[in-house]
mmCIF file with all atom_site columns, all heavy atoms in Angstrom:
data_model
loop_
_atom_site.group_PDB
_atom_site.id
_atom_site.type_symbol
_atom_site.label_atom_id
_atom_site.label_alt_id
_atom_site.label_comp_id
_atom_site.label_asym_id
_atom_site.label_entity_id
_atom_site.label_seq_id
_atom_site.pdbx_PDB_ins_code
_atom_site.Cartn_x
_atom_site.Cartn_y
_atom_site.Cartn_z
_atom_site.occupancy
_atom_site.B_iso_or_equiv
_atom_site.pdbx_formal_charge
_atom_site.auth_seq_id
_atom_site.auth_comp_id
_atom_site.auth_asym_id
_atom_site.auth_atom_id
_atom_site.pdbx_PDB_model_num
ATOM 1   N N   . PHE A 1 55 ? 23.598 39.641 -14.002 1.00 94.00 ? 158 PHE A N   1
ATOM 2   C CA  . PHE A 1 55 ? 24.039 38.873 -12.846 1.00 94.00 ? 158 PHE A CA  1
ATOM 3   C C   . PHE A 1 55 ? 22.936 38.720 -11.813 1.00 94.00 ? 158 PHE A C   1
ATOM 4   O O   . PHE A 1 55 ? 22.894 37.724 -11.089 1.00 94.00 ? 158 PHE A O   1
ATOM 5   C CB  . PHE A 1 55 ? 25.283 39.514 -12.225 1.00 94.00 ? 158 PHE A CB  1
ATOM 6   C CG  . PHE A 1 55 ? 26.559 39.027 -12.847 1.00 94.00 ? 158 PHE A CG  1
ATOM 7   C CD1 . PHE A 1 55 ? 27.123 39.696 -13.916 1.00 94.00 ? 158 PHE A CD1 1
ATOM 8   C CD2 . PHE A 1 55 ? 27.188 37.887 -12.377 1.00 94.00 ? 158 PHE A CD2 1
ATOM 9   C CE1 . PHE A 1 55 ? 28.291 39.247 -14.508 1.00 94.00 ? 158 PHE A CE1 1
ATOM 10  C CE2 . PHE A 1 55 ? 28.353 37.427 -12.954 1.00 94.00 ? 158 PHE A CE2 1
ATOM 11  C CZ  . PHE A 1 55 ? 28.909 38.107 -14.030 1.00 94.00 ? 158 PHE A CZ  1
ATOM 12  N N   . LYS A 1 56 ? 22.029 39.686 -11.746 1.00 92.00 ? 159 LYS A N   1
ATOM 13  C CA  . LYS A 1 56 ? 20.908 39.571 -10.822 1.00 92.00 ? 159 LYS A CA  1
ATOM 14  C C   . LYS A 1 56 ? 20.022 38.388 -11.203 1.00 92.00 ? 159 LYS A C   1
ATOM 15  O O   . LYS A 1 56 ? 19.476 37.690 -10.339 1.00 92.00 ? 159 LYS A O   1
ATOM 16  C CB  . LYS A 1 56 ? 20.100 40.864 -10.818 1.00 92.00 ? 159 LYS A CB  1
ATOM 17  C CG  . LYS A 1 56 ? 18.948 40.873 -9.808  1.00 92.00 ? 159 LYS A CG  1
ATOM 18  C CD  . LYS A 1 56 ? 18.215 42.202 -9.818  1.00 92.00 ? 159 LYS A CD  1
ATOM 19  C CE  . LYS A 1 56 ? 17.089 42.215 -8.802  1.00 92.00 ? 159 LYS A CE  1
ATOM 20  N NZ  . LYS A 1 56 ? 16.360 43.516 -8.805  1.00 92.00 ? 159 LYS A NZ  1
ATOM 21  N N   . LYS A 1 57 ? 19.886 38.142 -12.514 1.00 88.00 ? 160 LYS A N   1
ATOM 22  C CA  . LYS A 1 57 ? 19.024 37.067 -12.998 1.00 88.00 ? 160 LYS A CA  1
ATOM 23  C C   . LYS A 1 57 ? 19.778 35.756 -13.227 1.00 88.00 ? 160 LYS A C   1
ATOM 24  O O   . LYS A 1 57 ? 19.180 34.764 -13.636 1.00 88.00 ? 160 LYS A O   1
ATOM 25  C CB  . LYS A 1 57 ? 18.340 37.495 -14.294 1.00 88.00 ? 160 LYS A CB  1
ATOM 26  C CG  . LYS A 1 57 ? 17.329 38.621 -14.107 1.00 88.00 ? 160 LYS A CG  1
ATOM 27  C CD  . LYS A 1 57 ? 16.492 38.817 -15.361 1.00 88.00 ? 160 LYS A CD  1
ATOM 28  C CE  . LYS A 1 57 ? 15.373 39.808 -15.105 1.00 88.00 ? 160 LYS A CE  1
ATOM 29  N NZ  . LYS A 1 57 ? 14.441 39.914 -16.258 1.00 88.00 ? 160 LYS A NZ  1
ATOM 30  N N   . THR A 1 58 ? 21.078 35.771 -13.005 1.00 90.00 ? 161 THR A N   1
ATOM 31  C CA  . THR A 1 58 ? 21.884 34.571 -13.225 1.00 90.00 ? 161 THR A CA  1
ATOM 32  C C   . THR A 1 58 ? 22.095 33.818 -11.923 1.00 90.00 ? 161 THR A C   1
ATOM 33  O O   . THR A 1 58 ? 22.558 34.397 -10.938 1.00 90.00 ? 161 THR A O   1
ATOM 34  C CB  . THR A 1 58 ? 23.258 34.943 -13.828 1.00 90.00 ? 161 THR A CB  1
ATOM 35  O OG1 . THR A 1 58 ? 23.071 35.492 -15.122 1.00 90.00 ? 161 THR A OG1 1
ATOM 36  C CG2 . THR A 1 58 ? 24.155 33.712 -13.935 1.00 90.00 ? 161 THR A CG2 1
ATOM 37  N N   . PHE A 1 59 ? 21.756 32.543 -11.919 1.00 88.00 ? 162 PHE A N   1
ATOM 38  C CA  . PHE A 1 59 ? 22.076 31.706 -10.764 1.00 88.00 ? 162 PHE A CA  1
ATOM 39  C C   . PHE A 1 59 ? 23.541 31.324 -10.866 1.00 88.00 ? 162 PHE A C   1
ATOM 40  O O   . PHE A 1 59 ? 23.977 30.713 -11.846 1.00 88.00 ? 162 PHE A O   1
ATOM 41  C CB  . PHE A 1 59 ? 21.212 30.443 -10.743 1.00 88.00 ? 162 PHE A CB  1
ATOM 42  C CG  . PHE A 1 59 ? 21.521 29.536 -9.584  1.00 88.00 ? 162 PHE A CG  1
ATOM 43  C CD1 . PHE A 1 59 ? 21.068 29.850 -8.315  1.00 88.00 ? 162 PHE A CD1 1
ATOM 44  C CD2 . PHE A 1 59 ? 22.281 28.392 -9.761  1.00 88.00 ? 162 PHE A CD2 1
ATOM 45  C CE1 . PHE A 1 59 ? 21.360 29.032 -7.238  1.00 88.00 ? 162 PHE A CE1 1
ATOM 46  C CE2 . PHE A 1 59 ? 22.582 27.566 -8.690  1.00 88.00 ? 162 PHE A CE2 1
ATOM 47  C CZ  . PHE A 1 59 ? 22.113 27.889 -7.416  1.00 88.00 ? 162 PHE A CZ  1
ATOM 48  N N   . MET A 1 60 ? 24.317 31.704 -9.860  1.00 89.00 ? 163 MET A N   1
ATOM 49  C CA  . MET A 1 60 ? 25.754 31.464 -9.891  1.00 89.00 ? 163 MET A CA  1
ATOM 50  C C   . MET A 1 60 ? 26.045 30.001 -9.573  1.00 89.00 ? 163 MET A C   1
ATOM 51  O O   . MET A 1 60 ? 26.293 29.616 -8.437  1.00 89.00 ? 163 MET A O   1
ATOM 52  C CB  . MET A 1 60 ? 26.467 32.407 -8.920  1.00 89.00 ? 163 MET A CB  1
ATOM 53  C CG  . MET A 1 60 ? 26.351 33.870 -9.288  1.00 89.00 ? 163 MET A CG  1
ATOM 54  S SD  . MET A 1 60 ? 27.135 34.263 -10.876 1.00 89.00 ? 163 MET A SD  1
ATOM 55  C CE  . MET A 1 60 ? 28.855 34.105 -10.424 1.00 89.00 ? 163 MET A CE  1
ATOM 56  N N   . THR A 1 61 ? 26.036 29.207 -10.609 1.00 89.00 ? 164 THR A N   1
ATOM 57  C CA  . THR A 1 61 ? 26.328 27.787 -10.452 1.00 89.00 ? 164 THR A CA  1
ATOM 58  C C   . THR A 1 61 ? 27.792 27.591 -10.061 1.00 89.00 ? 164 THR A C   1
ATOM 59  O O   . THR A 1 61 ? 28.615 28.509 -10.177 1.00 89.00 ? 164 THR A O   1
ATOM 60  C CB  . THR A 1 61 ? 26.071 27.037 -11.767 1.00 89.00 ? 164 THR A CB  1
ATOM 61  O OG1 . THR A 1 61 ? 26.988 27.534 -12.766 1.00 89.00 ? 164 THR A OG1 1
ATOM 62  C CG2 . THR A 1 61 ? 24.643 27.241 -12.240 1.00 89.00 ? 164 THR A CG2 1
ATOM 63  N N   . GLU A 1 62 ? 28.123 26.392 -9.632  1.00 89.00 ? 165 GLU A N   1
ATOM 64  C CA  . GLU A 1 62 ? 29.520 26.086 -9.315  1.00 89.00 ? 165 GLU A CA  1
ATOM 65  C C   . GLU A 1 62 ? 30.393 26.269 -10.547 1.00 89.00 ? 165 GLU A C   1
ATOM 66  O O   . GLU A 1 62 ? 31.540 26.710 -10.451 1.00 89.00 ? 165 GLU A O   1
ATOM 67  C CB  . GLU A 1 62 ? 29.633 24.657 -8.784  1.00 89.00 ? 165 GLU A CB  1
ATOM 68  C CG  . GLU A 1 62 ? 29.050 24.445 -7.397  1.00 89.00 ? 165 GLU A CG  1
ATOM 69  C CD  . GLU A 1 62 ? 29.294 23.036 -6.880  1.00 89.00 ? 165 GLU A CD  1
ATOM 70  O OE1 . GLU A 1 62 ? 30.074 22.302 -7.523  1.00 89.00 ? 165 GLU A OE1 1
ATOM 71  O OE2 . GLU A 1 62 ? 28.700 22.674 -5.861  1.00 89.00 ? 165 GLU A OE2 1
ATOM 72  N N   . GLY A 1 63 ? 29.837 25.916 -11.720 1.00 88.00 ? 166 GLY A N   1
ATOM 73  C CA  . GLY A 1 63 ? 30.616 26.037 -12.951 1.00 88.00 ? 166 GLY A CA  1
ATOM 74  C C   . GLY A 1 63 ? 30.968 27.470 -13.285 1.00 88.00 ? 166 GLY A C   1
ATOM 75  O O   . GLY A 1 63 ? 32.126 27.776 -13.596 1.00 88.00 ? 166 GLY A O   1
ATOM 76  N N   . ILE A 1 64 ? 29.984 28.376 -13.230 1.00 91.00 ? 167 ILE A N   1
ATOM 77  C CA  . ILE A 1 64 ? 30.248 29.781 -13.545 1.00 91.00 ? 167 ILE A CA  1
ATOM 78  C C   . ILE A 1 64 ? 31.160 30.407 -12.494 1.00 91.00 ? 167 ILE A C   1
ATOM 79  O O   . ILE A 1 64 ? 32.092 31.149 -12.820 1.00 91.00 ? 167 ILE A O   1
ATOM 80  C CB  . ILE A 1 64 ? 28.924 30.563 -13.646 1.00 91.00 ? 167 ILE A CB  1
ATOM 81  C CG1 . ILE A 1 64 ? 28.113 30.100 -14.856 1.00 91.00 ? 167 ILE A CG1 1
ATOM 82  C CG2 . ILE A 1 64 ? 29.190 32.067 -13.735 1.00 91.00 ? 167 ILE A CG2 1
ATOM 83  C CD1 . ILE A 1 64 ? 26.782 30.805 -15.027 1.00 91.00 ? 167 ILE A CD1 1
ATOM 84  N N   . THR A 1 65 ? 30.900 30.090 -11.226 1.00 92.00 ? 168 THR A N   1
ATOM 85  C CA  . THR A 1 65 ? 31.739 30.626 -10.146 1.00 92.00 ? 168 THR A CA  1
ATOM 86  C C   . THR A 1 65 ? 33.178 30.171 -10.305 1.00 92.00 ? 168 THR A C   1
ATOM 87  O O   . THR A 1 65 ? 34.125 30.968 -10.177 1.00 92.00 ? 168 THR A O   1
ATOM 88  C CB  . THR A 1 65 ? 31.203 30.159 -8.775  1.00 92.00 ? 168 THR A CB  1
ATOM 89  O OG1 . THR A 1 65 ? 29.864 30.646 -8.613  1.00 92.00 ? 168 THR A OG1 1
ATOM 90  C CG2 . THR A 1 65 ? 32.063 30.701 -7.649  1.00 92.00 ? 168 THR A CG2 1
ATOM 91  N N   . ASP A 1 66 ? 33.367 28.897 -10.612 1.00 92.00 ? 169 ASP A N   1
ATOM 92  C CA  . ASP A 1 66 ? 34.714 28.359 -10.794 1.00 92.00 ? 169 ASP A CA  1
ATOM 93  C C   . ASP A 1 66 ? 35.406 28.996 -11.989 1.00 92.00 ? 169 ASP A C   1
ATOM 94  O O   . ASP A 1 66 ? 36.602 29.319 -11.932 1.00 92.00 ? 169 ASP A O   1
ATOM 95  C CB  . ASP A 1 66 ? 34.637 26.837 -10.972 1.00 92.00 ? 169 ASP A CB  1
ATOM 96  C CG  . ASP A 1 66 ? 36.000 26.222 -11.245 1.00 92.00 ? 169 ASP A CG  1
ATOM 97  O OD1 . ASP A 1 66 ? 36.862 26.272 -10.336 1.00 92.00 ? 169 ASP A OD1 1
ATOM 98  O OD2 . ASP A 1 66 ? 36.209 25.694 -12.348 1.00 92.00 ? 169 ASP A OD2 1
ATOM 99  N N   . LEU A 1 67 ? 34.664 29.215 -13.070 1.00 93.00 ? 170 LEU A N   1
ATOM 100 C CA  . LEU A 1 67 ? 35.254 29.799 -14.273 1.00 93.00 ? 170 LEU A CA  1
ATOM 101 C C   . LEU A 1 67 ? 35.714 31.233 -14.024 1.00 93.00 ? 170 LEU A C   1
ATOM 102 O O   . LEU A 1 67 ? 36.825 31.619 -14.414 1.00 93.00 ? 170 LEU A O   1
ATOM 103 C CB  . LEU A 1 67 ? 34.232 29.765 -15.408 1.00 93.00 ? 170 LEU A CB  1
ATOM 104 C CG  . LEU A 1 67 ? 34.731 30.168 -16.793 1.00 93.00 ? 170 LEU A CG  1
ATOM 105 C CD1 . LEU A 1 67 ? 35.902 29.298 -17.230 1.00 93.00 ? 170 LEU A CD1 1
ATOM 106 C CD2 . LEU A 1 67 ? 33.593 30.084 -17.810 1.00 93.00 ? 170 LEU A CD2 1
ATOM 107 N N   . ILE A 1 68 ? 34.893 32.036 -13.364 1.00 94.00 ? 171 ILE A N   1
ATOM 108 C CA  . ILE A 1 68 ? 35.278 33.413 -13.060 1.00 94.00 ? 171 ILE A CA  1
ATOM 109 C C   . ILE A 1 68 ? 36.507 33.434 -12.148 1.00 94.00 ? 171 ILE A C   1
ATOM 110 O O   . ILE A 1 68 ? 37.428 34.236 -12.349 1.00 94.00 ? 171 ILE A O   1
ATOM 111 C CB  . ILE A 1 68 ? 34.101 34.164 -12.407 1.00 94.00 ? 171 ILE A CB  1
ATOM 112 C CG1 . ILE A 1 68 ? 32.988 34.389 -13.433 1.00 94.00 ? 171 ILE A CG1 1
ATOM 113 C CG2 . ILE A 1 68 ? 34.560 35.508 -11.836 1.00 94.00 ? 171 ILE A CG2 1
ATOM 114 C CD1 . ILE A 1 68 ? 31.751 35.054 -12.872 1.00 94.00 ? 171 ILE A CD1 1
ATOM 115 N N   . SER A 1 69 ? 36.522 32.557 -11.179 1.00 94.00 ? 172 SER A N   1
ATOM 116 C CA  . SER A 1 69 ? 37.662 32.487 -10.264 1.00 94.00 ? 172 SER A CA  1
ATOM 117 C C   . SER A 1 69 ? 38.931 32.096 -11.006 1.00 94.00 ? 172 SER A C   1
ATOM 118 O O   . SER A 1 69 ? 40.020 32.621 -10.750 1.00 94.00 ? 172 SER A O   1
ATOM 119 C CB  . SER A 1 69 ? 37.385 31.482 -9.140  1.00 94.00 ? 172 SER A CB  1
ATOM 120 O OG  . SER A 1 69 ? 36.278 31.895 -8.360  1.00 94.00 ? 172 SER A OG  1
ATOM 121 N N   . ARG A 1 70 ? 38.791 31.161 -11.936 1.00 94.00 ? 173 ARG A N   1
ATOM 122 C CA  . ARG A 1 70 ? 39.953 30.724 -12.720 1.00 94.00 ? 173 ARG A CA  1
ATOM 123 C C   . ARG A 1 70 ? 40.501 31.860 -13.582 1.00 94.00 ? 173 ARG A C   1
ATOM 124 O O   . ARG A 1 70 ? 41.722 32.041 -13.682 1.00 94.00 ? 173 ARG A O   1
ATOM 125 C CB  . ARG A 1 70 ? 39.558 29.553 -13.620 1.00 94.00 ? 173 ARG A CB  1
ATOM 126 C CG  . ARG A 1 70 ? 39.518 28.217 -12.924 1.00 94.00 ? 173 ARG A CG  1
ATOM 127 C CD  . ARG A 1 70 ? 39.812 27.125 -13.924 1.00 94.00 ? 173 ARG A CD  1
ATOM 128 N NE  . ARG A 1 70 ? 38.695 26.223 -14.101 1.00 94.00 ? 173 ARG A NE  1
ATOM 129 C CZ  . ARG A 1 70 ? 38.701 25.224 -14.969 1.00 94.00 ? 173 ARG A CZ  1
ATOM 130 N NH1 . ARG A 1 70 ? 39.737 25.030 -15.747 1.00 94.00 ? 173 ARG A NH1 1
ATOM 131 N NH2 . ARG A 1 70 ? 37.657 24.428 -15.076 1.00 94.00 ? 173 ARG A NH2 1
ATOM 132 N N   . VAL A 1 71 ? 39.600 32.609 -14.210 1.00 95.00 ? 174 VAL A N   1
ATOM 133 C CA  . VAL A 1 71 ? 40.033 33.726 -15.045 1.00 95.00 ? 174 VAL A CA  1
ATOM 134 C C   . VAL A 1 71 ? 40.765 34.759 -14.200 1.00 95.00 ? 174 VAL A C   1
ATOM 135 O O   . VAL A 1 71 ? 41.850 35.239 -14.564 1.00 95.00 ? 174 VAL A O   1
ATOM 136 C CB  . VAL A 1 71 ? 38.828 34.371 -15.762 1.00 95.00 ? 174 VAL A CB  1
ATOM 137 C CG1 . VAL A 1 71 ? 39.235 35.668 -16.441 1.00 95.00 ? 174 VAL A CG1 1
ATOM 138 C CG2 . VAL A 1 71 ? 38.236 33.408 -16.784 1.00 95.00 ? 174 VAL A CG2 1
#
Side-chain angles (χ1 to χ4, degrees):
F158 272 92
K159 184 178 181 180
K160 292 191 173 186
T161 295
F162 179 76
M163 295 297 289
T164 64
E165 289 185 10
I167 293 179
T168 299
D169 177 66
L170 188 57
I171 291 177
S172 297
R173 280 208 243 177
V174 170

